[in-house]
Amino acid sequence: MMVSAAVHVKVDENRQCSKMKDKYKIAPVKQKQVKKEVEIKQRMTVAELAEAMDKDTDHVYEALLHTNIDIDSLEQDFVLDEKWIKEVIKKSGMKFKWAKLSEEKVKENKDAVRRPLSDPTMLVPRSPIVTIMGHVDHGKTTLLDSLRKTQVTAMEAGGITQHIGAFLVHLPSGEKITFLDTPGHAAFSAMRARGANVTDIVILVVAADDGVMKQTIESIQHAKNSNVPIILAINKCDTPEANHEKVKKELLAYDVICEEYGGDVQSINVSALKGDNLMALAEATIALSEVLELKADCKGPVEGTVIECRNDKGKGPVTTAIIQRGTLTKGCVLVAGKSWAKVRLMFDENNKPMKTAGPSTPVEIVGWKELPSAGDEILEVESEQRAREVLDWRKYVETQEKNKDDLEVIEAKQKEHYETYKKERESFSSMNWRQRKSAMYKANKHLMATRPKERTEIDELSLPIIVKGDVDGSVEAILNILDGYDADEQCKLKLVHFGVGDISENDIVSAEIFSGLVYGFNVNASKEVQQMATKKGIKIKLHRVIYKLIDDLKDELSGKLPAALEENIIGTASVLALFHVTVGKEKIPVAGCRVQKGQLHRKMKFKLIRDGHILWRGFLTSLKQLKNDVPVVKTGMECGLSLDKEIDFKLGDEIICYEEKEIQQNISWDPGF
């Protein structure tokens, strides 16, 4: 019984508690909101910050809207300072924590370098490397033709050397001379400089009937900068206009003093076309090389210089090089710039296979993974693995330098934006905070509508181009010319892509994306590529002479420019009398004029000039002679005229009748030739 009573009591207590709960409902305990934690690091980009916050980039843009950062130029790869990273996180209701810094190990320098100077007892005599330099069309290539009995000029477009050539010439005496033929025309300044840097002797070719010209002077400067001795070859001495003494005197002004005038420069009169006196030139070269005591080490790792590069359909990437130390054989592993090769094949200038190539020997090397750049230093390394290490190091160094340059640009841009922001703040200094906030909102309102990724660039005149060339030196020469482009205010020239080799489908796709055109220099475009270009409406411009390519480019740039209005004066008249005519209730000023030159046409445009200043432009409302309306008033006749705007005439005012014609503008860019 007692147990039963106890159970009843417990049940009653539970019922009473339940009733109490129903009567006084207990409010749930509100849990404290936990802020999301964002891991940050120094100098994060907009995209990195958005990813760390698990938001899109628009969220970051909105958070930065009322700061001194220029939202217009803010892109996803823009690097943010620490204070702006924290500001975005704070405005987003989050908190930050610093990411653990991973200690970056200092990379060991894995680059390949030239070996120390060899023991003099190990050196053996070598043949001289001679560069032929001079002004365009002064006979440099013809001179080489006569020396090696081949016809290169006939193969070159327009008889002008388009890219550098390296040849080994065997003289009857058994001596050998390696010749480099550099282009003379203005476009190839860098290639002449490269030729001077790898040479022992410069033969300066000057035409006896033309004298010292622009590229002659430039060639002298390249030789002197490289501290290379000069031999003067006065060519075309067989022409009636030849004056070799005049040439020697002209060269005195550039510190090229011939032996006849007390200097040390040998002077040889030659006729490259007829082959006259060429042996004397070769003997002078050999004599000078003996004085210079040219020697090299034939043993040890190979060292050399890339003279030229090209893509060959059958051989792949091919370089023309000059070996300077060591002996090159098949199987050697080479590095040059950011490319490497395991030598598969070697050829001479006549495309004959070679087994070895020693110092001063020009050689075509097959086996490159990618094309190096002309002028790159060639070094032999122990293995393919070592070559990859060298390339990785060089790419790492290049990336570090690029990052440093980018950082400097970003910091300069941020500083500029901060200065602009400070000036804007100064204009708000007299306002209270509410007024300031309202003014800043109005100033930035246009930024709310679009995000940077949605904005399109302001329409501007531009010409995107793709440049392809047969060899690296040709492309380099074209790029050097384009670097001097200075007419951006008329039409921007945008170089989308450049490279070596025939025009490909990828080039057409790129041109379509950028609405540009493709220029090819000494290259071809297959039938399929041409059909693809026609279908997509892409122009392919193929040229074999660099001047014509640049002229074509200038025409394309000029074609982008809007037509300009040109005024053609039809007649002029002088104001001799002033009076008013009443029309209805209005008094209209009328000028009594005499036509001094040409004629006045009623329907043409007119302008009023006073003291050299144009006061009015427009049309006539009336043109009369003796109260009669007339369409034309000729020279010497008098007339009365009124304008479509009320202007007080003065005696001596000049009335000019003219017509406007649209003419095509020409680009102001002058490439220098």
Side-chain angles (χ1 to χ4, degrees), residues 555-570:
D555 290 341
E556 288 290 336
L557 288 162
S558 297
K560 286 278 184 179
L561 304 179
L565 291 176
E566 184 181 61
E567 290 185 3
N568 181 26
I569 295 176
I570 297 170

Side-chain angles (χ1 to χ4, degrees), residues 27-40:
V29 177
K30 191 174 181 180
Q31 292 185 348
K32 187 176 180 181
Q33 190 174 2
V34 179
K35 289 185 177 181
K36 183 177 178 179
E37 202 168 49
V38 180
E39 194 174 79
I40 66 171

Side-chain angles (χ1 to χ4, degrees), residues 406-423:
D406 289 346
L407 190 59
E408 288 174 358
V409 171
I410 289 167
E411 287 176 346
K413 203 170 184 181
Q414 288 179 335
K415 185 179 179 181
E416 181 186 337
H417 295 329
Y418 181 67
E419 294 298 325
T420 306
Y421 175 74
K422 277 176 68 178
K423 288 179 181 178

Side-chain angles (χ1 to χ4, degrees), residues 110-114 301-306 319 321 328 331-343 365 367-373 375-394:
K110 296 281 188 179
D111 203 3
V113 294
R114 284 182 178 266
V302 170
E303 295 176 8
T305 300
V306 177
T319 63
L328 185 67
C332 286
V333 179
L334 310 174
V335 291
K338 291 183 284 295
S339 181
W340 69 279
K342 184 171 184 179
V343 180
I365 302 171
W368 295 95
K369 306 304 174 186
E370 294 177 10
L371 274 180
S373 296
D376 281 346
E377 181 182 63
I378 295 175
L379 297 173
E380 184 182 359
V381 293
E382 303 86 4
S383 63
E384 294 181 25
Q385 183 183 353
R386 174 74 181 114
R388 293 189 184 96
E389 283 181 358
V390 172
L391 261 59
D392 288 343
W393 169 257
R394 290 180 178 180

Side-chain angles (χ1 to χ4, degrees), residues 465 467 477-485 493 495 550 553 669:
I465 62 169
V467 175
I478 295 169
L479 297 187
N480 284 341
I481 298 172
L482 300 186
D483 282 344
Y485 183 73
L493 180 61
L495 182 62
I550 298 303
L553 177 58
W669 174 42

Side-chain angles (χ1 to χ4, degrees), residues 4-68:
S4 177
V7 170
H8 282 295
V9 171
K10 189 69 176 175
V11 170
D12 289 342
E13 285 179 356
N14 289 340
R15 284 175 181 170
Q16 286 177 357
C17 286
S18 178
K19 287 178 181 179
M20 290 289 290
K21 282 181 181 178
D22 291 341
K23 189 174 181 180
Y24 304 104
K25 289 186 178 179
I26 300 170
V29 177
K30 191 174 181 180
Q31 292 185 348
K32 187 176 180 181
Q33 190 174 2
V34 179
K35 289 185 177 181
K36 183 177 178 179
E37 202 168 49
V38 180
E39 194 174 79
I40 66 171
K41 60 183 180 180
Q42 290 282 355
R43 309 194 69 77
M44 296 177 78
T45 64
V46 171
E48 288 171 343
L49 180 57
E51 185 179 357
M53 295 172 66
D54 198 20
K55 301 282 186 181
D56 59 16
T57 51
D58 286 353
H59 179 86
V60 178
Y61 294 139
E62 287 169 7
L64 293 169
L65 193 59
H66 298 299
T67 65
N68 69 338

